[in-house]
Amino acid sequence: MLLETRSLDAGYGRFRALFGVDIRVDAGECVAIIGANGAGKSTLMRSIAGVLPNAPDMIRHKGDPIGALSSAAILQRGIAMVPEGRKLFPSLSVEENLLIGGQKRRGSGQWSLDSIYALFPILREKRAVPGTALSGGQQQMVAIGRALMSNPELLLCDEISLGLAPVVIRDIYAALPRIRESGAAVIVVEQDITQALRVADRVYCLMEGRVTLSGTPAELTREAIHSAYFGGHA
Amino acid sequence: MIWLDTIVQGILLGGLYALFATGLSLVFGIMRLVNLAHGDMIVLAAYLILVLVTGLGLSPWLAVLIAAPLMFVLGWLLQRVVLNRVLGPDILPPLLVTFGLSIAIQNALLEGFSADSRRIPNPDLEGASVALGPVTVGVMPVLTFASAVLVIVILNRVIYGTPLGRSFRATSDDPVTAGLMGIEPMKVFAVATGLAMMVVTVAALYLGTRANFDPAIGPARLIYAFQAVIIGGLGSLWGTLAGGVIIGVAQTLGAAVNPEWQILAGHLAFLLVLLVRPRGLFPRARD
Amino acid sequence: MSSPSAPWRATTRTRTGTLVALLALALIVAGLVLPAFASRRLIQDLFYILTMLSLAQIWNLLAGYGGLVSVGQQAFVGIGAYALFGGVILGGMDPLLAILLGGAAGLVLAIPMAFFAFRLHGAYFAIGTWVIAETTRLLVAQWKALGGGTGTSLPRAATSDMMGVAQVAELFGVRDAAARDILAYWIALLLAVALIAGIYALLRSRLGLALIAVRDNAEAAGSVGVDVRWLKWAVFLIASVATGLTGALIFLQTARISPDAAFAITDWTAYVIFIVVIGGIGTIEGPILGVLVFFALRSTLADYGSWYLLTLGLTAIVAMIFAPKGLWGLLSARTGWHLFPIRHRLVGPTGD
């Protein structure tokens, strides 16, 4: 078991966003977190990534309590995040954005500039361009590549399809199998339920900060998902 | 020919002001901090060099090589222990802390060295001059300007060509996401301040050998540094050099008309640029 | 504010506030009659405290409430003082009346200063105001008629014939010089009280609410219709006039002026900032507490020259790191006191 949260209560100052969330990710798995806007999905990702501080025991990585660690320390443990909104560095070129992803942790694995360019060939053309001068989809590729450069064991993908056209989303998700092949486990946060069910081994549904449903795509019915997503009756 | 001579002097003086300003520009670019004690740090470094020269009998150049790493450590500590604690969205705390620091440094120097004017002895090169075409200029002013250029070249190389520089730029863009990359912004800031203090040491060498100094002259240097940064535009080191040159030329031209008007001329030039180009001559596209 | 049919109303009145108002009134009356008993030295000390308190309240309004951190207010102290000297020496005015010239001069200088300085923000605004103050000093030092770089003094005739001096001298049985000190002290008391009352009234008004809103979040304030730019101009102009008046008064009492003294950044800005920061920025009570601490430090350490300033500087640093809200902030957090209540609360039929 790679990562688990135990009764995770996270929030922003006096505003609580998560209430007793328990999720689990095993090595090599792909887990999807679905839910409506404001359900707490990004809060969950940020907590795991160390952007939001929590009580140490609420998040465990291979048994170690990591809830209170900084994001820099979390990266060293092999957990990398593709943040919501891409968050590329405008002062850095595409190549520099990728390089900085692997600057502090090289890790043991196959990801390097060359293999990232092989995964997303368009980026090789645009390597010298400032990160933010690309289209949304290309920026997303850079953001994913940047996270991969540290050869993480666990990749956190926070809303990577947000604001992108369906064709582009398809291209991005087409890279997921290659990412999984390299041995990384992935947590995918998605508002698009169909997309999530297509790629995930297991699914958690959040609503208003609580886990309302969990299981494999095969186990879950449309109705169950619908009521877990929106609450009340379909 | 007098005017050409005056302008050349002004340009070379601009090199000194650019050296004052570069450290300030670096720190502000990375962490949006204006250190009101910056001028006093230059004076502090000058006293440090003085002590090394008079106490250990070293040449000023050797003294700088020793003083620079010492100043790096001082700047690093200052950032880690004091300034990192007050950085944040509110501009007041860093402003007031550095203001207090400025007063504290000035008066500590006063206690330690008295108000007497001092000068760093530079017997080899002090009066030396060299012919540059139609004008004759002092060797030290030329070295000052050349040092300013060299410092900017080196800094730009660091910022745009090294992993450290990448960390600087990324942290300046977005400290939270930089954290996701494993970078610790507080450590980056400390290194940046340390680097700035090394530039300050170089500036101090030329300040201290060029003219007399005493504990109280720090704030005026801060003003020239600040003017150069604003005129140049935030985020551009070459712009800072241009800003320094503009202030230097304005001052020497003003002094040529009436010695009492030297500093006033610099201020007026600054206000003029502020009037027509509030963001400076070469501002960063963003912010 | 309230209509007969609406039982709820907004008020700023609190029990502590009312008590303090009565206490303040008593203090003011005591202050007015003080010259009858006090030594000349005490009157002079109180004059210093009151004028520094005025400068501190003004700077607090600018920076603590207005968010305009200026390191250039000494420009207005200087220009106000020079306006007074100009009015008396060149215009033959009575010095007491010439104080008003100080306010006018402050207003006139404020316009170009704000015009330039508002092009900058944050720390750069601060240094910009400093540069403009320095420029003003250098320009004024060119004014040969008032002594140029070395300065000048108020003519004896002007000061001894000043309005009210003869009457005060007779009233308290003192000599002209002491009478002038008493007059200056009364005006300083009046000024300080008027300033504090005025600032208090301002903060309780709609303008004050807008000010605090802008301080907390300028963008949000703008989005609900607050004209941020106009507000900044208004605060800056008010502060300049008040500082000009204070500067004129200060140098009326000294009767001697020079550009370095009138535009001194240490005396008129560094000390003022210290007072506000140590006392508690963003509150009216803070500067009052701060000026008392400052004066105590000054009295005990004044003989130690640079150690005194060194202590001041280090104290400011430590205060900003560990007690950013100053002494009053610490006190107020512990006790919950608000001597100058400006929070609007709802009061209603439950008899709150």
Side-chain angles (χ1 to χ4, degrees):
Chain A
M1 203 258 317
L2 189 59
L3 183 106
E4 64 165 344
T5 68
R6 296 182 184 178
S7 303
L8 181 59
D9 294 328
Y12 305 89
R14 274 188 239 156
F15 173 71
R16 272 263 292 268
L18 296 177
F19 301 86
V21 168
D22 291 334
I23 69 160
R24 191 190 90 234
V25 182
D26 295 326
E29 265 200 309
C30 177
V31 168
I33 316 274
I34 60 175
N37 258 335
K41 311 188 298 297
S42 279
T43 309
L44 178 59
M45 291 293 101
R46 287 204 209 108
S47 295
I48 297 174
V51 176
L52 288 176
N54 294 101
D57 223 50
M58 284 186 178
I59 307 175
R60 280 180 175 264
H61 174 240
K62 296 183 182 168
D64 300 327
I66 62 166
L69 292 185
S70 69
S71 45
I74 301 264
L75 181 78
Q76 293 299 336
R77 288 186 145 258
I79 302 174
M81 175 145 100
V82 184
E84 186 189 354
R86 270 81 76 172
K87 303 271 173 68
L88 296 187
F89 298 110
S91 298
L92 270 50
S93 67
V94 164
E95 180 150 309
E96 287 176 318
N97 265 286
L98 293 176
L99 284 172
I100 205 167
Q103 194 165 297
K104 290 292 182 181
R105 180 185 197 264
R106 206 42 70 73
S108 55
Q110 60 168 87
W111 296 113
S112 64
L113 268 188
D114 280 328
S115 48
I116 304 275
Y117 286 142
L119 187 65
F120 299 121
I122 184 75
L123 297 185
R124 192 189 289 272
E125 274 175 51
K126 307 255 179 186
R127 65 207 295 182
V129 173
T132 43
L134 269 49
S135 72
Q138 290 164 351
Q139 285 191 38
Q140 192 60 269
M141 293 177 191
V142 178
I144 295 173
R146 184 177 64 176
L148 286 174
M149 285 289 287
S150 63
N151 282 295
E153 290 180 331
L154 174 60
L155 186 68
L156 307 172
C157 295
D158 197 349
E159 307 245 29
I160 55 180
S161 62
L162 206 58
L164 301 180
V167 168
V168 179
I169 298 175
R170 201 192 57 206
D171 282 341
I172 298 209
Y173 270 104
L176 202 57
R178 289 265 288 285
I179 296 174
R180 294 190 60 188
E181 265 169 40
S182 71
V186 185
I187 301 182
V188 174
V189 163
E190 258 302 337
Q191 281 189 46
D192 182 344
I193 304 177
T194 326
Q195 185 64 258
L197 292 176
R198 214 178 282 146
V199 297
D201 298 325
R202 281 186 305 114
V203 178
Y204 290 95
C205 183
L206 287 184
M207 189 187 73
E208 285 173 11
R210 291 177 172 81
V211 175
T212 46
L213 190 67
S214 69
T216 66
E219 291 166 1
L220 306 175
T221 65
R222 281 209 87 78
E223 292 77 21
I225 296 176
H226 206 183
S227 70
Y229 199 104
F230 295 106
H233 294 289
Chain B
M1 261 335 164
I2 303 178
W3 293 111
L4 182 63
D5 191 69
T6 306
I7 291 177
V8 170
Q9 302 291 350
I11 294 175
L12 296 180
L13 180 62
L16 180 63
Y17 292 160
L19 277 174
F20 291 162
T22 301
L24 200 67
S25 181
L26 182 71
V27 166
F28 185 78
I30 294 173
M31 63 189 92
R32 305 292 181 292
L33 173 80
V34 174
N35 186 349
L36 291 185
H38 183 83
D40 305 290
M41 301 294 286
I42 299 176
V43 175
L44 177 68
Y47 275 105
L48 179 59
I49 297 174
L50 182 70
V51 163
L52 288 171
V53 168
T54 55
L56 297 180
L58 303 172
S59 86
W61 308 97
L62 204 54
V64 169
L65 284 178
I66 299 178
L70 288 175
M71 287 300 289
F72 178 93
V73 172
L74 184 65
W76 192 90
L77 279 174
L78 178 65
Q79 186 68 38
R80 281 299 285 246
V81 173
V82 178
L83 298 177
N84 271 345
R85 290 198 205 206
V86 291
L87 274 179
D90 192 358
I91 58 145
L92 212 54
L95 214 70
L96 297 174
V97 164
T98 55
F99 196 66
L101 193 63
S102 167
I103 295 181
I105 293 177
Q106 280 179 55
N107 285 280
L109 286 175
L110 210 53
E111 274 304 308
F113 294 97
S114 89
D116 294 340
S117 276
R118 309 295 294 271
R119 191 154 174 183
I120 297 174
N122 186 20
D124 301 331
L125 292 173
E126 203 173 294
S129 60
V130 72
L132 271 187
V135 293
T136 311
V137 292
V139 167
M140 284 306 278
V142 170
L143 281 176
T144 310
F145 191 87
S147 300
V149 171
L150 187 64
V151 162
I152 293 178
V153 166
I154 293 176
L155 275 180
N156 274 333
R157 204 67 265 294
V158 168
I159 293 173
Y160 292 102
T162 65
L164 176 66
R166 238 179 276 140
S167 298
F168 281 164
R169 284 179 289 145
T171 309
S172 162
D173 281 341
D174 185 347
V176 173
T177 308
L180 286 175
M181 305 293 119
I183 294 169
E184 289 167 87
M186 294 294 163
K187 288 194 181 162
V188 169
F189 295 155
V191 173
T193 302
L195 263 182
M197 287 302 110
M198 290 181 82
V199 178
V200 157
T201 315
V202 175
L205 168 71
Y206 291 114
L207 172 74
T209 50
R210 170 200 178 84
N212 291 339
F213 61 94
D214 63 72
I217 70 164
R221 312 312 117 185
L222 172 70
I223 288 187
Y224 304 148
F226 156 80
Q227 289 174 334
V229 173
I230 290 286
I231 291 178
L234 303 174
S236 164
L237 289 182
W238 289 117
T240 301
L241 180 62
V245 167
I246 290 178
I247 298 286
V249 170
Q251 282 193 359
T252 49
L253 284 178
V257 173
N258 180 341
E260 269 184 44
W261 291 1
Q262 175 179 346
I263 298 175
L264 186 59
H267 290 339
L268 292 176
F270 165 73
L271 291 174
L272 191 64
V273 173
L274 197 59
L275 188 63
V276 290
R277 298 276 232 168
R279 292 193 65 219
L281 298 175
F282 312 102
R284 259 203 294 235
R286 307 164 296 105
D287 91 6
Chain C
M1 205 159 57
S2 60
S3 59
S5 56
W8 290 88
R9 56 192 172 80
T11 181
T12 58
R13 201 175 288 176
T14 66
R15 243 209 313 263
T16 321
T18 316
L19 205 65
V20 168
L22 292 172
L23 196 61
L25 210 59
L27 271 176
I28 294 171
V29 171
L32 282 171
V33 301
L34 195 63
F37 323 101
S39 70
R40 186 174 175 195
R41 185 60 210 259
L42 179 60
I43 296 292
Q44 285 174 335
D45 283 345
L46 284 174
F47 176 81
Y48 183 71
I49 292 177
L50 288 166
T51 48
M52 291 305 279
L53 176 60
S54 298
L55 289 177
Q57 289 290 358
I58 296 165
W59 195 85
N60 184 40
L61 178 69
L62 254 187
Y65 286 107
L68 295 168
V69 179
S70 165
V71 186
Q73 285 302 94
Q74 66 271 23
F76 299 107
V77 172
I79 206 75
Y82 265 92
L84 177 117
F85 272 63
V88 171
I89 295 176
L90 303 176
M93 282 179 79
D94 183 283
L96 272 193
L97 285 181
I99 295 177
L100 296 173
L101 266 188
L107 184 63
V108 168
L109 179 63
I111 296 171
M113 198 194 215
F115 178 71
F116 281 106
F118 283 177
R119 287 170 119 75
L120 300 167
H121 300 281
Y124 285 93
F125 167 80
I127 310 187
T129 57
W130 186 3
V131 174
I132 297 171
E134 281 294 293
T135 308
T136 312
R137 176 180 67 86
L138 290 168
L139 285 171
V140 166
Q142 301 294 315
W143 197 358
K144 302 301 179 200
L146 287 181
T150 39
T152 186
S153 309
L154 280 180
R156 284 220 60 190
T159 50
S160 50
D161 289 347
M162 198 167 84
M163 219 177 351
V165 167
Q167 291 86 333
V168 171
E170 214 189 291
L171 182 64
F172 292 108
V174 295
R175 298 179 42 194
D176 277 358
R180 212 182 67 234
D181 280 348
I182 294 174
L183 257 181
Y185 158 73
W186 272 343
I187 297 176
L189 182 61
L190 178 67
L191 184 64
V193 169
L195 262 174
I196 293 178
I199 291 174
Y200 183 46
L202 178 72
L203 291 174
R204 286 174 61 201
S205 72
R206 292 184 58 160
L207 187 60
L209 265 182
L211 207 60
I212 296 176
V214 169
R215 177 188 66 176
D216 286 344
N217 188 335
E219 228 175 88
S223 69
V224 296
V226 174
D227 190 338
V228 177
R229 202 172 159 71
W230 183 90
L231 207 59
K232 287 189 192 255
W233 270 93
V235 172
F236 196 79
L237 291 178
I238 292 173
S240 323
V241 171
T243 308
L245 287 171
T246 314
L249 179 61
I250 291 173
F251 280 89
L252 167 64
Q253 200 264 356
T254 329
R256 154 117 204 115
I257 202 171
S258 75
D260 285 347
F263 291 92
I265 191 172
T266 307
D267 295 302
W268 314 127
T269 288
Y271 292 164
V272 169
I273 293 181
F274 177 86
I275 290 172
V276 176
V277 168
I278 297 297
I281 193 168
T283 64
I284 297 180
E285 302 89 330
I288 297 176
L289 192 52
V291 78
L292 295 173
V293 170
F294 171 72
F295 190 72
L297 269 178
R298 183 187 168 88
S299 307
T300 42
L301 292 179
D303 292 335
Y304 297 98
S306 38
W307 286 110
Y308 162 55
L309 282 169
L310 181 57
T311 309
L312 239 49
L314 289 173
T315 310
I317 295 173
V318 169
M320 276 325 281
I321 295 179
F322 297 107
K325 296 213 185 286
L327 284 173
W328 180 253
L330 290 175
L331 200 58
S332 186
R334 281 282 174 80
T335 59
W337 289 343
H338 287 284
L339 302 184
F340 291 88
I342 54 174
R343 284 258 182 81
H344 291 74
R345 305 173 303 125
L346 271 182
V347 173
T350 55
D352 188 42

